[in-house]
Structures are given as structure tokens and as C-alpha cells.
Amino acid sequence: MGDMTNSDFYSKNQRNESSHGGEFGCTMEELRSLMELRGTEAVVKIKETYGDTEAICRRLKTSPVEGLPGTAPDLEKRKQIFGQNFIPPKKPKTFLQLVWEALQDVTLIILEIAAIISLGLSFYHPPGESNEGCATAQGGAEDEGEAEAGWIEGAAILLSVICVVLVTAFNDWSKEKQFRGLQSRIEQEQKFTVVRAGQVVQIPVAEIVVGDIAQVKYGDLLPADGLFIQGNDLKIDESSLTGESDQVRKSVDKDPMLLSGTHVMEGSGRMLVTAVGVNSQTGIIFTLLGAGGEEEEKKDKKAKQQDGAAAMEMQPLKSAEGGDADDKKKANMHKKEKSVLQGKLTKLAVQIGKAGLVMSAVTVIILVLYFTVDTFVVNKKPWLPECTPVYVQYFVKFFIIGVTVLVVAVPEGLPLAVTISLAYSVKKMMKDNNLVRHLDACETMGNATAICSDKTGTLTTNRMTVVQAYVGDVHYKEIPDPSSINDKTMELLVNAIAINSAYTTKILPPEKEGALPRQVGNKTECGLLGLVLDLKQDYEPVRSQVPEEKLYKVYTFNSVRKSMSTVIRLPDESFRMYSKGASEIVLKKCCKILSGAGEPRVFRPRDRDEMVKKVIEPMACDGLRTICVAYRDFPSSPEPDWDNENDILNDLTCICVVGIEDPVRPEVPEAIRKCQRAGITVRMVTGDNINTARAIAIKCGIIHPGEDFLCLEGKEFNRRIRNEKGEIEQERIDKIWPKLRVLARSSPTDKHTLVKGIIDSTHTEQRQVVAVTGDGTNDGPALKKADVGFAMGIAGTDVAKEASDIILTDDNFSSIVKAVMWGRNVYDSISKFLQFQLTVNVVAVIVAFTGACITQDSPLKAVQMLWVNLIMDTFASLALATEPPTETLLLRKPYGRNKPLISRTMMKNILGHAVYQLTLIFTLLFVGEKMFQIDSGRNAPLHSPPSEHYTIIFNTFVMMQLFNEINARKIHGERNVFDGIFRNPIFCTIVLGTFAIQIVIVQFGGKPFSCSPLQLDQWMWCIFIGLGELVWGQVIATIPTSRLKFLKEAGRLTQKEEIPEEELNEDVEEIDHAERELRRGQILWFRGLNRIQTQIEVVNTFKSGASFQGALRRQSSVTSQSQDVANLSSPSRVSLSNALSSPTSLPPAAAGPSCPPVREGQPGTLASSISHLPRSSPHATISDLALVAGLV
């Protein structure tokens, strides 16, 4: 029964509640209504109905300490009664629905109509048919059998329409299937920590049941509703449910309600799960929004009773998520499915289509006029009533020719190519440890010009080990011998480390023989616990003596405090507080230090400065992270005011300072070198000490001694970018960011400011495309602001993953380089396809048009055109869009935002090949019959048999396309077009397959394909002319593009579409978490509605002209910046005043003796600063796509 859908639960629950009420002391309905209360109301209700939370635990047959027993029958029963923790997704579209959608295509509808008319007329034999008086334009014999076969053309058109529709539908279907797979993979990877049978275990979110005791900690996204039963300093961001951005402090006696879909911003604790899946608050919302599909009807009656309460909460949700707030928003949501590149391509396709429409209309008009003038004016035939059907048949034939021109002109393969290319990349990127959450991130990453990376865990291994220590007035360069440390000091040190760290942090024995011990939990704390073990001590007994429940007060670590403190009550009723944190911050608060004898002695500011110079800076210059461990005793009475943090966290006694090493990942320096070679600037943004940061940046190769660059601390950075009023000025940021390589001791606000500053900058000619990596909750705003946000899959918190576009499943910087490679590959694949597609279109349209005007009949018949269209669109998009990336992609600079889709080199190739193909086809059309000694196919009457002449033209045309497809594999003017061809089996298969089908069509296609079988020598000529394409390709490659000044580029978006209105009111966006709402239909893969911002930022990739953008941004930046900083997006609501006032860094002291000589922040010459800017590719400007239309 475990796999019943939730809708079944609803009907079941109505019957089950009465019977199951006895088994558990409360029903699902009771718990649901309890979870709808907030704050004191909830506390009162719990007291009145149940007594306290312990009583609820007893009723739910669970223990607050041991958790559920975890036996299968018990879990199964809970799932049946209270539901499963999953919200059923909307049903996917069926294949037939997709077929129906594909049929909506306008050109296909026109074709269908034409084909049906053609079919109808072929079966209708008008009386005037044999009448000599009726015009038979351009004579020519027509035998009876042929007249009978008139229906074949119509039927063949219908058949090819069916083919196109099925291919399109199948592509959509497989795409949807792929994204559902990706979606479920993301969901399966979400795990949560619960206590079962006294053991702390991680289980998939869907396995959580009512009655589970879950451990919640900083950075978690709560997976179910529950009651807070024990913990410390827990603050929750409930903006996703209530729209209120302030963090809510939770406590057992004031507000114990924890709701699904909200984020833990601070602290930790345990919760008793009371509602899961569709019964949780988020679940109820999704059901109201219709994500639950069928539940809606069944729940209508129920929802009405709760409407009052629910509606109150839904209101902000709707406006925030744009769920179904109104139809306009709905329409917008569908628009957002297209990625930027798709938007750009759709525009190109529409413009080409318009040109095609004009051509096809002109074709039809010319044919009709020519026919009427020739018949009724020149030959002076009267219009006889019995001849009308004959004339209509002619007109239908002309109409079909016109439609065919249109069909070939519209490159409907473009959207298909993008979809295939992106879907293929996403699938392959999974293997490269990139889990793509938003498709457009793929292509944007290819244009990235800057990466702002975290240090810990991304550039380093995130395996912390203490390698130096300063204890009892001695600086040990390696782990000291336990006997050399005073016993009193040792006891304090072990207690301070064991108690003042999350109890979930542990060091476990290695999984394999000879491996390193496993570090679980916060890595810095693991490093400290490792020190305890290295000193031959054990932290477990200390923890069992002081279990988590007995901790009196905990000040958890956050980005403002930069320290963590825990208060315990000693046996004599007095209090002791242990503290640890960034050494320069904690040392400032120390007034004593333990001497070698273990006695506290006075620690003056003078001593502190000396310690910084002699101990902390040398450690930092070795790339070590310095942590200070301290303590303070308080009397039992009067009890201190624990909420007055400034007084409590002061007058500490320093126990020791340790240097923790976090080694640079071995593959990082190489990866960073690749990025720099590819024109991408890597910047390091870290919370660490500036010396540590600088040392690691040198090890990674982010900075090289002797270069002109900046390493700044957060404080100094803020001082430089703000004016007298404390407002951020873009001009000031522009002076700093081009040279800035390391930002140390930075707050999340600084990271966001830097990212925003670089993105908004108009300092360089190309607008910068910025990627950001982050793992903490506080990185949320920067990840969202960035063009592409990378979250860490292992160390990352749920908040960071939620705000990101790509998740690095191995937390490794070198995976980002792979993402760059794939991104560039997507862009190039599309360009290859475009180069090929447009050559076909230009040639086919011109041939059909001129052929029709000169000979009254298109040399390429409707069905042949459809076949060409099928191979050229669908197959070619498959073949060219699945080229694997190569390292050479990293040897060029990024295209930047203003790069048009079709460069001049590509335009040269398109026009060059079109000239070759047109010359040969027209030669064959007008003198082909003489060359091959065959009958001319020109001026054949209606329903005449297929001629060898026109078959040769059709065959040659296809052969040229096939060989040109090989040419199209290179778009930067490379000579060797066969390079790497065998690494792409799909390409080889498609080319050979198309060739085989072509043979079948020509030899056996007969009347439906208007083909007549060819001789071997004729085949040889066709292939020979096709091979000429490869030779001609070399000729074109020889012509320097720089000489062809008249060539324009195409495929840029114009400035009119520069900034959609959402951009203007999108200054500060909240991260919204109705993330499962995304299951609606195809938006499936756009996990969460929170993407508007990045989407629009990305749209500018291809659109913006720097100056126009700059003007707009400067105008808005003045108004927005003041509030922008104050109400940065919710996850890190650090008010700026205190971010600045909190003593986050010492004045940059003189570098220690062991620091490498690095010039820091010297004002360089203008030339040197310019030389560090990424060069943009030298592309001319573009007169819009009108040009393509003109060409055609």
C-alpha cells in the first residue's frame, strides 16, 4: 500500500480516521489544524489539548531522544494513516497530446489544407477535362494512367506531414522524459537527518513519516511540518510561506511551529514531524495551486472549511510566486520556458520565416498571373464554365508550390537543434559532475568572463587538519607532544573543543583500510576534534557527560559573529562559556591568556599586536586558517543577561590559537590556468584572513607575484566603494574590480555587492558574465544575482542549492571548467547548425522561386522539398548538435554578450556555398538535358510522369547538402573539416543513413517522390558534384574574411527588446521556495519560480549594447543602491550598519616575513589596468537581420 498516491489517502483517510484514531492519540486532521496556528496561539492550543510536546510524542508513539523504532510495519502504518512525504507531480503530457501540439504548427496546417484540396481535386474528374478548348498550359503528352495517379502527390504531402509531426512529438516526449528523470534524481539526492532507534541516520526526504524526530541545522530546507522540541538559537526564514522577510526566532515555549519549505538561517535543534506531503503547509499550498491535480476536486469540500486560514497565507504567496495570481502571469510563465539562446533563435527563425512568406506569396502571384495572362490574353481562350475545375487544379498546384517555398524557408529545426543540444549537454554534464538545474545556465556558462569562487571546499579539499598551535606561550610548528602541555590547559582545551561544536560533527573510523578517518559535519570543527585525538585525548566521554540537552545557551556561528560560543552550567551552579572563532576577532575580546603553567595572565593590546605579528601572520602566510579557542567564567548570581551579546562575548581568556590547513585540491591550479587561458578571470572571495587568502591564491595560481592586482579585506573594499554618505557608487566599484583578485574577510553582503558591481559595470566594452560558487546559506543572494550560480553538492546547504543554477556534485572547481567547455560547445553546435541550415534555405528558396517564375514549375517538388526539409532540419540538428566538446574550445576568449549568432566567417561560408550550389543547379536546370542527353523536364504539363532531368537536379541538390554538412562542422574557418569526425558516431550514422534513404527514394520513390530511377553514371555525376562542395569549402576558407567588409553578421537582438519590464522592477528579489510548483507541465525543469532574475540578466547576454545598458543601469543604480544593500535578499539579512561596524578585520598589517613579495593594491598605470581586462572578440557591428531577408 506504500505506493498509493496521496489522493487515495484522502478518500481512505476519511474512512480510516475513526478506526485509526485509537492507534495513535491524534488524527491527521487534528495535527493539520494544529499546524495552521502560529506563535502563542499554537502554544496555548498545545497546552489546552495535549499538555505539552512530550505528550504529543507519547500520543504519536515516539521518543524525543530515541526517535521512532524504525521497524518496517510501523513506518508503513504511519504512511497509510498520515500520508507519505511527497507531493504527487502533475501527470506528464501523453504522446497524443504532444502530437496534437505539433500539429498546431501554421506551415503544417497550410500544407495539410493544400494536400487535402489537391487530393479532392484529383478524384474529381470534371466534364471539361477532355475539352480541347480548355487551356492545358504548355502541352506535353499525358497518358490515362498518370491522370489516375494524381492523388499521389496530395497523399505524399500528407504522409510527410505525419512524419514531421511524429518526429517533433517524439522529441518533445523524450525531452520531457529526460527532465522528469533529472527532476527525480535531484529529489532522490535530497536527504535529511532523523533519529531512529537512538541512531542518527540520513534518509531520503520522501521516507520521513509523522512521528519522526528530525535534526534541523543551519542551512536546512525543512522537508515537513513539525514542532520544535529542543535546540538552541534557532532562527527560521519563513518568507517563502508568509512573505515576511524577517527571520523568526523559534523556541519551545513561544513559537514551536516549524513549517515545510522554510529555511533554517541560524542555530540547530530537533523537531517532531507532525505533517508530511500534501498535509504539510507547503503541500496544502501546492494543492491549492493545482499541483496536486486530481486532489483538487476531492479536497474542494475540505478546502472550503479551511479557506479562511489558508487564504490568508496564500495571498502573499501568490503575489510572490506569480502562481496563478492572474492569467497574464501564467502566460509569462510559459514564455519563460525558452532559454535565451532559444529566444534569439526564435527571433531569427521568425525573420527568416517572414522573408519566406513574402517569397512564397510572390511565387504564387507570379505563377497565377503568368498562367492567366498566357491563357486568356496571349492565347485568347475564353473562360468556359466546364473548364473551371481544370483551372482550379492549376491554381492548387501553384498554391502547393508556394507553400513548399514557405516550408523550406522556415527553419523549424532551430528550436529543435537548441533543445537537442542542451538536452544532450545536460545529460553528458551529469557525467562531468555538473547537475544542471536551469537549462539556460548551460549556454550562459560558455560566455562567462569572470568566476567569483569560494575558497573553502571549492579551491581546497575541505579536509581540515590542525598543523600548528600556539599553546602556553609556545608556538609549535607541528602537533605538540601531549606531555608538553599543562594538564589544566589540556582539560580546558579538550572541553572547549568537544562541547563548543555541533554534536553532529564527528570523526569516524575510515571506511577502507589505510584510508583517512572520515570527517562528518562541519569541517573546521572536525579539524579541531582531530587535534583532540592527535593529543591522545577523546571527546566522546566529555560529550556524554554534557549531552546536548544540558547545554544552557548556544550562540551559533553566523557570518556577523564569525564565532561560536556555548554556555554550560558547572556543578557549583556557576556558568562557563567556551568560545571559538576567527583568531583576530576572538583575540580582540580576550583580556587574559593561559600561561605555560596553565594560569591566566593579563593579555594587553600590545601583547595582542605582537601575537598577531609573531604567530597569526606567519601561520596565515603559510596558507593556514587561524582559529582562537577561549573561555570565560560567570558567577551563578546574579545570572548574566544572556541576550546582551556584546557584554557576554567579552573579557575572554585565550586557551590557544591553532593553524588549520586546508590543502589546495591538486587539480585546481591546472583548472585555473585553463580558465585564464580561456579569457576568464578567477577571483577568490573568502571569509578568511587576508594573509591566508593571499597565500592560497598564490598556490592556486589566481595571483602571480609581481603582477599588478589587488587583495582587499571586506572593510577596505567597503571603504573604497562608498561615498561620504555610505552609498555604493558604481564608478568606484569600476575602479577596483578589474584588478581585484582576492577579497578576504568578506561578508555575504560584500560578495553580493561585488557580483552586482561587476555585472552592472559598463567599464569594459563587453558586459561581464559572472559565475559564482557558493555553499553556505549566506551565499544565496550572490548565487541568485550571478549569471550562473554553482552550488556545492556535498558541502552545500539546501538554501545555496535552491538559489543556484548548477550543482557541482563533487564540489570541485575543475568541474566548472568542464561546464565552460560544454557551454561553449552548445553555442558552437547551434552556430554549426545555423550555417548549414541557412545555406539550404537560401538555395532551396531561390531555386523554387526562380524555377517557378521561369518554367512555371518548381524543379524541386513539394514532397522532395519536405524530404530535404526533414533531413536538413531534424537529422542535421541531431548530427551537428551532438558534437562532443574539445579542449580547443578553451583556447579562445569568451564571445561575451554582444556576439551575434552568425559571424562574418559563417556568413562568408553560407553565401559562398550558396553561390556554388545555385550555379550548378541552374546549369543543370537549363542545359542539363543536353549534358546528359535526356528529355527536358521543363514545362511539363499537369500530372506528367517524373522526368530523369528533374530527378538529377533533386539528387544533386541532396548530395551537395550531405557533403556541405561535413563542411558545416567547422565555423571558425578551420581547414580540416574531418577533424574528430569519428568521435561523433551520431553524425556518421546520420550522414550514411541519409545517403542510403536517398538512394531508395530516387530508385524506388517513383510518382509520390516525383523521381525516376537514375543510371550508375548519372549517380556518379551527382556524387561528384556533391564532393565538389568539399573542394569549394577549401577555396572559401582561403578568402580572408577581413577583405569582405560588405558582409554583415546576423542574429543579434535589437535594443528595443533590451530590457523587459520585469527587469525594471526586479531590483531586489526574494528567493522564493514554492519549488515543487515547478512540476507544472513543461516548466518542470525550471525548478522553482525564482528564476526571473537570472533569466533576464542572461537575456542580456545576447542583447545588450553596452552603452544603452549602462545608461539605464546608471539611472536605476542611483535609486536602487541605497535600498539594495539594506534589504539584500532575505537569506542574509545583515543590516549594513552592523556589517560595517562589526570588527571583522584588523587594519592590514605589514606582511609577515614569510609572505611572498606581492605588490598589493598599488595604483597601476592605466595601461597596466587595461592590459588585464579580457579582450573582446573583434566583431563588427551589425545591421539587423533585414539583411538575411534581403539576401533571400
Side-chain angles (χ1 to χ4, degrees):
M1 295 207 59
D3 55 1
M4 293 166 60
T5 62
N6 276 321
S7 50
D8 300 335
F9 293 148
Y10 271 100
S11 43
K12 279 257 187 287
N13 284 331
Q14 310 312 304
R15 300 194 295 274
N16 289 354
E17 260 162 28
S18 50
S19 60
H20 285 306
E23 290 189 33
F24 294 105
C26 28
T27 63
M28 186 178 76
E29 280 299 298
E30 285 170 12
L31 290 173
R32 251 181 73 166
S33 53
L34 173 65
M35 290 319 293
E36 273 161 15
L37 303 173
R38 298 281 175 278
T40 43
E41 278 182 17
V43 179
V44 173
K45 170 87 173 164
I46 291 172
K47 275 214 173 74
E48 284 174 2
T49 318
Y50 305 102
D52 60 1
T53 43
E54 297 242 337
I56 301 182
C57 287
R58 283 197 297 277
R59 288 193 182 201
L60 288 173
K61 300 186 179 167
T62 183
S63 147
V65 184
E66 298 283 311
L68 290 177
T71 58
D74 178 53
L75 297 178
E76 205 48 59
K77 191 159 71 183
R78 288 173 192 272
K79 282 184 187 168
Q80 280 177 39
I81 297 173
F82 297 109
Q84 281 176 292
N85 193 24
F86 109 116
I87 296 166
K90 200 171 179 184
K91 283 203 178 81
K93 287 190 175 149
T94 62
F95 189 68
L96 287 174
Q97 280 171 309
L98 291 170
V99 166
W100 176 245
E101 276 179 15
L103 278 168
Q104 310 301 310
D105 191 61
V106 186
T107 32
L108 288 181
I109 294 174
I110 298 175
L111 267 182
E112 287 153 27
I113 295 170
I116 290 166
I117 296 176
S118 163
L119 265 180
L121 289 172
S122 68
F123 288 123
Y124 169 59
H125 295 294
E129 193 152 14
S130 50
N131 189 335
E132 285 305 308
C134 297
T136 46
Q138 291 83 35
E142 177 176 349
D143 52 39
E144 282 307 305
E146 289 303 336
E148 297 302 312
W151 60 274
I152 291 180
E153 186 167 26
I157 293 179
L158 277 183
L159 191 71
S160 43
V161 165
I162 292 170
C163 276
V164 172
V165 167
L166 288 177
V167 168
T168 316
F170 178 74
N171 270 312
D172 284 347
W173 178 78
S174 57
K175 179 177 83 179
E176 179 123 340
K177 191 165 146 246
Q178 240 172 1
F179 288 122
R180 278 190 185 264
L182 185 66
Q183 179 72 17
S184 62
R185 169 156 178 192
I186 290 177
E187 278 173 10
Q188 280 156 13
E189 288 196 345
Q190 276 189 310
K191 291 210 159 76
F192 209 77
T193 314
V194 297
V195 181
R196 285 195 178 163
Q199 292 294 311
V200 177
V201 288
Q202 283 216 323
I203 57 170
V205 168
E207 294 296 311
I208 293 176
V209 294
V210 170
D212 258 326
I213 303 295
Q215 290 199 341
V216 297
K217 60 179 188 310
Y218 160 80
D220 281 344
L221 171 71
L222 297 183
D225 291 354
L227 297 174
F228 184 46
I229 51 177
Q230 175 266 318
N232 39 57
D233 215 9
L234 193 68
K235 286 189 190 159
I236 305 279
D237 169 20
E238 294 189 347
S239 56
S240 56
L241 279 176
T242 60
E244 294 293 328
S245 52
D246 294 333
Q247 291 173 19
V248 185
R249 187 183 275 270
K250 297 289 178 185
S251 63
V252 179
D253 47 359
K254 294 202 181 72
D255 182 3
M257 308 313 254
L258 300 177
L259 307 173
S260 56
T262 60
H263 284 99
V264 182
M265 301 312 285
E266 226 176 274
S268 60
R270 290 182 172 199
M271 81 166 179
L272 163 69
V273 177
T274 52
V276 293
V278 280
N279 303 311
S280 66
Q281 292 302 300
T282 314
I284 293 171
I285 292 169
F286 285 133
T287 316
L288 285 172
L289 288 176
E294 71 245 65
E295 271 94 49
E296 240 177 334
E297 303 84 64
K298 302 190 184 175
K299 289 193 55 182
D300 256 359
K301 300 183 186 102
K302 276 194 182 175
K304 283 199 178 94
Q305 301 155 17
Q306 309 153 352
D307 239 15
M312 289 303 294
E313 272 168 31
M314 293 323 112
Q315 249 8 77
L317 179 92
K318 279 191 178 172
S319 52
E321 326 298 284
D324 288 335
D326 49 32
D327 293 2
K328 199 164 101 193
K329 287 236 171 93
K330 231 176 176 174
N332 272 349
M333 258 163 54
H334 281 291
K335 274 184 208 138
K336 261 175 244 145
E337 283 172 43
K338 278 195 176 140
S339 79
V340 182
L341 193 53
Q342 272 172 310
K344 202 170 165 189
L345 286 170
T346 310
K347 180 157 192 259
L348 191 64
V350 165
Q351 288 177 313
I352 296 171
K354 279 182 188 161
L357 196 62
V358 172
M359 296 292 278
S360 64
V362 171
T363 312
V364 174
I365 292 167
I366 289 179
L367 285 172
V368 171
L369 281 177
Y370 189 100
F371 176 76
T372 42
V373 169
D374 187 57
T375 309
F376 302 119
V377 180
V378 180
N379 295 339
K380 298 196 171 53
K381 297 241 171 110
W383 181 295
L384 303 172
E386 61 267 31
C387 289
T388 307
V390 181
Y391 297 145
V392 170
Q393 259 182 320
Y394 270 107
F395 292 148
V396 169
K397 178 186 165 189
F398 299 151
F399 179 64
I400 288 179
I401 291 172
V403 172
T404 313
V405 172
L406 177 64
V407 170
V408 176
V410 177
E412 63 270 24
L414 277 186
L416 189 68
V418 183
T419 308
I420 292 175
S421 183
L422 285 175
Y424 172 74
S425 303
V426 167
K427 207 169 166 184
K428 292 285 189 209
M429 280 169 80
M430 292 282 263
K431 292 191 179 126
D432 285 339
N433 304 310
N434 283 295
L435 195 145
V436 181
R437 292 180 65 238
H438 301 121
L439 266 191
D440 54 352
C442 248
E443 83 216 21
T444 313
M445 201 49 218
N447 290 321
T449 54
I451 298 175
C452 293
S453 173
D454 248 8
K455 175 179 78 72
T456 311
T458 314
L459 300 174
T460 59
T461 54
N462 202 9
R463 196 188 158 80
M464 309 281 193
T465 36
V466 174
V467 289
Q468 294 187 22
Y470 179 87
V471 191
D473 295 340
V474 187
H475 183 177
Y476 297 95
K477 293 283 188 175
E478 61 244 4
I479 300 294
D481 187 81
S483 57
S484 63
I485 296 176
N486 179 291
D487 293 347
K488 216 166 164 187
T489 310
M490 180 70 90
E491 189 193 351
L492 272 168
L493 179 60
V494 173
N495 282 345
I497 291 175
I499 293 170
N500 185 29
S501 54
Y503 279 32
T504 47
T505 304
K506 297 186 182 71
I507 294 195
L508 302 177
E511 281 174 340
K512 294 190 197 80
E513 275 294 305
L516 292 165
R518 279 182 301 152
Q519 297 188 340
V520 181
N522 180 311
K523 296 296 191 275
T524 310
E525 290 179 353
C526 285
L528 290 168
L529 291 176
L531 170 68
V532 172
L533 299 176
D534 289 341
L535 292 170
K536 310 284 184 284
Q537 307 289 317
D538 191 3
Y539 60 87
E540 282 297 352
V542 182
R543 285 185 173 179
S544 46
Q545 244 176 358
V546 188
E548 208 167 354
E549 298 80 57
K550 284 200 186 158
L551 300 180
Y552 195 81
K553 169 88 182 153
V554 179
Y555 300 93
T556 47
F557 180 89
N558 66 25
S559 51
V560 180
R561 285 189 193 124
K562 289 228 190 291
S563 68
M564 169 181 178
S565 309
T566 305
V567 181
I568 58 167
R569 202 165 200 156
L570 297 174
D572 62 0
E573 296 297 309
S574 65
F575 300 98
R576 175 169 288 171
M577 176 179 78
Y578 294 113
S579 214
K580 69 164 191 283
S583 54
E584 57 263 58
I585 288 167
V586 177
L587 278 178
K588 273 189 186 160
K589 298 175 178 168
C590 290
C591 62
K592 295 198 182 93
I593 186 166
L594 290 184
S595 66
E599 295 303 322
R601 65 175 168 78
V602 180
F603 185 61
R604 295 183 297 272
R606 190 170 70 236
D607 303 332
R608 186 174 66 227
D609 294 344
E610 193 177 339
M611 186 158 167
V612 167
K613 265 199 185 61
K614 298 228 169 111
V615 179
I616 292 175
E617 284 189 0
M619 280 188 188
C621 288
D622 292 342
L624 304 183
R625 212 172 165 167
T626 55
I627 301 282
C628 176
V629 182
Y631 77 102
R632 177 183 176 183
D633 287 331
F634 296 95
S636 55
S637 67
E639 186 171 329
D641 170 13
W642 298 114
D643 288 338
N644 185 351
E645 251 181 73
N646 290 345
D647 287 354
I648 300 288
L649 299 181
N650 226 329
D651 297 339
L652 306 175
T653 304
C654 169
I655 303 173
C656 74
V657 173
V658 295
I660 298 185
E661 183 181 42
D662 184 6
V664 171
R665 286 175 180 266
E667 61 283 342
V668 162
E670 175 58 23
I672 286 180
R673 202 159 58 248
K674 279 183 186 165
C675 283
Q676 289 164 341
R677 202 172 54 217
I680 301 169
T681 311
V682 182
R683 294 181 175 82
M684 182 162 101
V685 183
T686 174
D688 255 353
N689 169 321
I690 187 153
N691 295 327
T692 311
R694 195 192 283 118
I696 298 240
I698 289 172
K699 282 183 189 169
C700 292
I702 291 175
I703 54 182
H704 303 285
E707 277 186 1
D708 181 28
F709 57 80
L710 285 173
C711 294
L712 294 180
E713 286 199 332
K715 248 186 175 172
E716 173 66 7
F717 174 68
N718 273 301
R719 195 183 62 70
R720 292 198 188 189
I721 61 172
R722 291 170 192 280
N723 57 20
E724 300 71 41
K725 294 182 193 153
E727 292 162 352
I728 297 174
E729 286 186 356
Q730 185 64 43
E731 287 75 36
R732 290 176 181 238
I733 297 183
D734 284 350
K735 284 187 189 138
I736 293 176
W737 73 258
K739 286 194 198 171
L740 183 70
R741 290 294 175 274
V742 176
L743 184 57
R745 280 277 173 257
S746 62
S747 69
T749 324
D750 298 338
K751 192 169 186 176
H752 180 271
T753 309
L754 175 67
V755 172
K756 185 175 188 306
I758 297 179
I759 289 178
D760 292 353
S761 171
T762 50
H763 185 70
T764 48
E765 52 193 287
Q766 293 279 14
R767 140 109 154 79
Q768 294 278 310
V769 182
V770 183
V772 169
T773 69
D775 54 3
T777 305
N778 49 18
D779 293 324
L783 286 170
K784 272 196 62 146
K785 180 68 192 169
D787 296 298
V788 183
F790 286 91
M792 301 297 138
I794 305 167
T797 58
D798 292 343
V799 184
K801 290 178 187 171
E802 201 52 44
S804 69
D805 305 283
I806 297 179
I807 295 173
L808 297 176
T809 50
D810 62 347
D811 287 13
N812 194 336
F813 187 84
S814 58
S815 302
I816 299 177
V817 182
K818 299 254 177 62
V820 172
M821 220 154 76
W822 278 106
R824 293 185 171 191
N825 193 49
V826 167
Y827 208 95
D828 281 8
S829 296
I830 304 303
S831 299
K832 290 172 189 174
F833 174 69
L834 263 176
Q835 176 174 307
F836 174 68
Q837 170 81 52
L838 292 181
T839 314
V840 183
N841 286 14
V842 169
V843 174
V845 170
I846 294 178
V847 166
F849 176 73
T850 45
C853 298
I854 298 169
T855 67
Q856 276 67 68
D857 182 11
S858 167
L860 298 171
K861 300 288 180 286
V863 182
Q864 294 173 351
M865 286 285 218
L866 280 170
W867 160 239
V868 168
N869 206 35
L870 186 74
I871 58 167
M872 301 319 153
D873 270 5
T874 312
F875 295 164
S877 64
L878 247 178
L880 292 168
T882 52
E883 289 266 313
T886 56
E887 288 277 329
T888 48
L889 287 167
L890 293 175
L891 298 178
R892 65 170 174 77
K893 296 277 177 271
Y895 283 146
R897 300 198 162 240
N898 312 346
K899 167 93 167 68
L901 273 177
I902 302 170
S903 65
R904 276 165 127 184
T905 311
M906 287 166 61
M907 199 55 103
K908 174 183 80 174
N909 291 344
I910 291 171
L911 295 180
H913 287 293
V915 167
Y916 172 83
Q917 296 184 10
L918 287 170
T919 313
L920 282 162
I921 285 177
F922 285 134
T923 309
L924 287 176
L925 181 62
F926 296 113
V927 294
E929 70 272 30
K930 298 191 185 74
M931 288 160 58
F932 289 103
Q933 274 103 43
I934 46 175
D935 293 337
S936 166
R938 296 195 299 283
N939 307 338
L942 208 58
H943 302 318
S944 56
S947 65
E948 278 188 351
H949 182 196
Y950 274 16
T951 307
I952 289 178
I953 293 178
F954 165 58
N955 200 21
T956 308
F957 179 67
V958 172
M959 287 304 123
M960 290 197 289
Q961 301 322 327
L962 269 185
F963 286 103
N964 192 30
E965 196 164 341
I966 299 173
N967 275 331
R969 292 182 65 249
K970 301 290 174 213
I971 49 171
H972 298 299
E974 297 93 327
R975 288 226 175 251
N976 182 3
V977 289
F978 290 101
D979 180 37
I981 195 163
F982 295 114
R983 284 192 308 134
N984 187 359
I986 303 183
F987 183 88
C988 304
T989 316
I990 285 179
V991 171
L992 295 173
T994 312
F995 185 63
I997 300 174
Q998 179 65 17
I999 295 178
V1000 174
I1001 289 178
V1002 170
Q1003 297 306 98
F1004 312 106
K1007 181 74 186 171
F1009 278 97
S1010 315
C1011 283
S1012 142
L1014 298 181
Q1015 312 297 323
L1016 186 63
D1017 61 324
Q1018 292 167 336
W1019 262 102
M1020 284 299 136
W1021 274 106
C1022 293
I1023 293 173
F1024 174 72
I1025 294 173
L1027 273 168
E1029 267 289 1
L1030 294 174
V1031 181
W1032 182 247
Q1034 295 300 314
V1035 173
I1036 294 177
T1038 316
I1039 305 169
T1041 314
S1042 50
R1043 290 286 170 82
L1044 308 172
K1045 288 276 187 289
F1046 60 89
L1047 286 182
K1048 298 286 192 290
E1049 304 130 326
R1052 251 189 207 174
L1053 295 174
T1054 54
Q1055 287 193 340
K1056 273 207 289 288
E1057 300 126 12
E1058 187 83 31
I1059 299 183
E1061 59 274 27
E1062 292 115 305
E1063 161 90 312
L1064 303 175
N1065 51 28
E1066 143 290 300
D1067 240 316
V1068 182
E1069 282 250 19
E1070 302 286 73
I1071 297 187
D1072 52 48
H1073 309 288
E1075 55 148 300
R1076 295 183 198 81
E1077 157 58 305
L1078 67 313
R1079 295 205 171 101
R1080 325 202 33 182
Q1082 297 166 319
I1083 312 170
L1084 193 70
W1085 33 285
F1086 257 84
R1087 199 144 190 261
L1089 301 171
N1090 56 3
R1091 298 310 301 149
I1092 308 172
Q1093 187 175 18
T1094 307
Q1095 283 259 332
I1096 288 161
E1097 283 299 336
V1098 175
V1099 168
N1100 299 333
T1101 311
F1102 303 101
K1103 296 178 181 173
S1104 69
S1107 54
F1108 176 80
Q1109 188 81 354
L1112 255 169
R1113 287 210 184 273
R1114 265 199 297 282
Q1115 193 180 336
S1116 67
S1117 67
V1118 181
T1119 52
S1120 70
Q1121 261 152 14
S1122 43
Q1123 75 226 34
D1124 199 284
V1125 178
N1127 51 351
L1128 247 188
S1129 66
S1130 53
S1132 66
R1133 191 134 318 254
V1134 181
S1135 78
L1136 238 155
S1137 50
N1138 68 22
L1140 285 175
S1141 62
S1142 70
T1144 46
S1145 61
L1146 294 169
S1154 56
C1155 286
V1158 169
R1159 289 193 298 152
E1160 176 194 342
Q1162 293 173 358
T1165 58
L1166 182 65
S1168 71
S1169 67
I1170 291 174
S1171 69
H1172 281 76
L1173 299 178
R1175 296 253 179 274
S1176 58
S1177 36
H1179 281 303
T1181 50
I1182 151 184
S1183 78
D1184 214 345
L1185 243 175
L1187 164 93
V1188 173
L1191 267 178
V1192 175

